[in-house]
Amino acid sequence: MTTKLSKDCESKVDEQLLVAQAQQGDKAAFQQLYLRHQGRVYALCYRLSGQSQLAEEIAQDCFVRLWQKLPLFRGDSQFTTWMHALVVRQALNSVKQHKSFWARFLPIEASQAQSSGKEHNYDGLDKLIVRLPERARIIFVLHAIEGYQHNEIAKLLNLAPGTSKAQYHRARNLLKEMLS
Amino acid sequence: MSEDKLNDLIAQTPKTLTPAKDLWPNIEARLDVVDNAPQQGSWPKLMIACSMTLLAVIGLLNWQGLNINNNQDSTLIMLAQIHAQHLQQIEQLQQATATQTVALRAGDQQLKSALDPHSPWFGAIEELRQAAQLLYQALKNDPHDKQLLQLWLWTHSREIELLQQSQEQYLNGKIDLTPKPTNHI
C-alpha cells in the first residue's frame, strides 16, 4: 500500500516536471505527456466520434490544442483534470467540424462506407456504442463513461438538461436492445 | 437482465484504448507549424496589400468613370493591367501557400491546401477563375459595362479571400475546409 502511494506521488511529481518542461517549449517532455495520456485521449475521441480514423485525427487535434494551451495551465487543479476538460471540449468541436466537412463534401453513402470500413474490433461496450446515433452516443459516453452530470453535458452541448437525460435513456434502451 | 448486462459492460469499459498507429509524428509536425506561427505574419500584410490594390483600382475606375466612354483603347489597357496585377498577387499568395504546404505535408498527408486538386478549396477557386476568365472576355467585348466590371473585380477579391481562408484553416490544422459565404456585390 505504502509502495503504491509513493509510486503515485512519484508519478505526480514526474508529471509536474514534464508539464513545466513542456510549458517551456520542450517537445520531448510533451511527447512523454503524450505517451502517458494518448490511450485515455484516444479512447474518448473514439467513443465520441464512433470511427477509428476520425478518432485518430481528433486525438491529434486535441494534443495540438493541448500544446497551444499548455502555457495557460497554472496548476490550480491537477493536470489530468485540466487536460481532460480541455480534451473533451476540443474533441466535441472537432467531431462537429469533421462531421460537417464530410457531410458536405461526400455523399451520405460514401461517408457511411468510409466510417464503417477499417474499424477496429474493440470489445464489449466499444463494439456497441459506435452503432448508436451520434447525439445519443456522445451523451451516453459523457455521462456513463466519463462521469459528467446532465447539467454539465447540457452546458457543453448547448442543450437543455432534460434533452441530455432523454438522449441518455434512449442510448441505454438501444444498447439493451442490442444486448438482448 | 440486459439492464444488468449493460451495467456490467459499462463497469468493465477500459479507460484507455490504443490507436492503430502512432499519432506522435503527425502531432509533432503540427507543433512545428504552431511554433512557426510568427513567421506567418507576412500573410496579413500581403492580404492588406492586395485589398488596398483592389480598392485603389476601384477608386481609379470611379475617378475615370466619365472618361471611360470616350476612350475604349485606354479602358482595354487598364483592364489588362488589372488582370496582370491580379495574377501577380495570386502568384505571390500561391507561392507562400506552396512553401507552407510542403512543410505541413511532411507531417500530415491528410491535410489539403487550396493548391491540392483534391481539396474542396481547389474546386471553388477553379470555378471562380473560370467565371473571372469569362467575365474578362465579355469585358474585352464591352469594356463599358460597369456591372460586368464590378462582378469581375468581385471575383478577384473573392479568389483572394478563398485563398486566405484555406490557408488560415490549413495552418490552424482544422479540417473544416468549407469555403465560407461572403457578401455579394
Side-chain angles (χ1 to χ4, degrees):
Chain A
M1 183 72 178
T2 318
T3 319
K4 190 182 178 300
L5 274 176
S6 63
K7 271 187 183 170
D8 283 350
C9 283
E10 263 177 46
S11 173
K12 273 181 192 168
V13 171
D14 281 354
E15 184 145 284
Q16 281 172 358
L17 197 63
L18 289 172
V19 170
Q21 286 170 336
Q23 282 179 318
Q24 300 301 314
D26 184 340
K27 280 185 204 150
F30 188 66
Q31 187 180 9
Q32 290 305 310
L33 289 173
Y34 158 79
L35 289 171
R36 282 181 179 217
H37 299 289
Q38 59 154 340
R40 183 90 175 85
V41 171
Y42 175 76
L44 180 67
C45 295
Y46 176 74
R47 287 163 185 155
L48 290 179
S49 70
Q51 297 172 31
S52 54
Q53 203 180 340
L54 191 52
E56 286 173 2
E57 288 176 23
I58 295 172
Q60 289 173 35
D61 290 347
C62 289
F63 279 105
V64 172
R65 191 70 176 156
L66 186 61
W67 174 255
Q68 289 169 334
K69 292 281 179 184
L70 209 50
L72 300 179
F73 176 64
R74 299 274 172 241
D76 301 332
S77 57
Q78 279 201 16
F79 174 71
T80 44
T81 312
W82 178 83
M83 184 195 75
H84 189 259
L86 187 143
V87 163
V88 167
R89 275 197 305 275
Q90 179 60 40
L92 289 172
N93 284 338
S94 292
V95 166
K96 203 171 152 191
Q97 283 170 355
H98 287 241
K99 288 278 180 185
S100 62
F101 169 74
W102 290 116
R104 188 150 183 171
F105 291 105
L106 285 179
I108 291 168
E109 298 80 17
S111 175
Q112 283 171 345
Q114 193 190 45
S115 67
S116 60
K118 310 170 188 172
E119 287 305 311
H120 288 285
N121 290 320
Y122 292 121
D123 295 322
L125 196 61
D126 287 315
K127 225 175 192 173
L128 303 178
I129 54 175
V130 293
R131 289 160 57 191
L132 289 173
E134 184 179 278
R135 184 181 275 199
R137 185 184 61 245
I138 288 173
I139 289 168
F140 179 81
V141 168
L142 291 176
H143 185 71
I145 303 176
E146 300 299 328
Y148 278 69
Q149 299 300 310
H150 285 295
N151 59 342
E152 294 172 313
I153 296 172
K155 269 186 196 169
L156 272 173
L157 301 179
N158 197 22
L159 43 81
T163 311
S164 176
K165 284 179 195 169
Q167 289 287 335
Y168 173 69
H169 288 294
R170 183 182 173 215
R172 276 191 78 95
N173 287 334
L174 288 168
L175 287 168
K176 281 190 273 183
E177 275 175 32
M178 291 177 206
L179 286 169
S180 59
Chain B
M1 180 64 184
S2 52
E3 181 81 24
D4 294 339
K5 241 187 202 176
L6 180 57
N7 288 337
D8 286 347
L9 276 180
I10 293 171
Q12 289 161 12
T13 301
K15 285 285 177 197
T16 62
L17 290 176
T18 311
K21 64 174 186 185
D22 183 11
L23 307 179
W24 178 251
N26 282 350
I27 295 169
E28 191 178 23
R30 286 173 64 185
L31 300 187
D32 287 335
V33 173
V34 175
D35 286 347
N36 289 335
Q39 292 171 13
Q40 291 148 18
S42 58
W43 266 89
K45 286 176 194 165
L46 190 56
M47 293 316 301
I48 289 167
C50 292
S51 307
M52 284 179 71
T53 311
L54 267 178
L55 281 174
V57 168
I58 292 167
L60 188 68
L61 286 172
N62 285 334
W63 183 67
Q64 290 187 339
L66 292 173
N67 299 325
I68 276 180
N69 288 338
N70 301 328
N71 193 342
Q72 182 148 338
D73 286 346
S74 65
T75 309
L76 284 172
I77 291 168
M78 189 174 63
L79 289 176
Q81 282 172 345
I82 294 169
H83 186 57
Q85 207 166 19
H86 175 68
L87 290 179
Q88 200 182 353
Q89 285 170 351
I90 293 299
E91 197 182 343
Q92 282 178 321
L93 287 171
Q94 286 186 328
Q95 273 174 3
T97 305
T99 311
Q100 286 157 341
T101 300
V102 169
L104 288 171
R105 275 282 164 75
D108 196 339
Q109 295 291 336
Q110 287 167 356
L111 291 175
K112 292 177 173 62
S113 77
L115 298 181
D116 191 321
H118 301 296
S119 149
W121 290 100
F122 186 84
I125 290 169
E126 270 307 299
E127 274 179 28
L128 209 57
R129 281 178 187 163
Q130 284 168 13
Q133 194 57 36
L134 288 173
L135 286 167
Y136 184 43
Q137 292 307 323
L139 269 172
K140 278 182 182 170
N141 294 329
D142 185 7
H144 303 144
D145 189 326
K146 230 176 171 180
Q147 281 187 326
L148 268 185
L149 183 62
Q150 281 180 332
L151 196 57
W152 184 55
L153 290 172
W154 177 83
T155 58
H156 285 179
S157 63
R158 183 66 179 140
E159 185 182 351
I160 289 168
E161 271 176 34
L162 285 180
L163 279 169
Q164 186 192 22
Q165 279 180 23
S166 75
Q167 185 67 6
E168 277 173 0
Q169 293 196 343
Y170 185 49
L171 292 172
N172 288 336
K174 292 177 182 172
I175 310 294
D176 183 7
L177 299 175
T178 315
K180 290 174 191 159
T182 190
N183 293 332
H184 287 277
I185 51 172

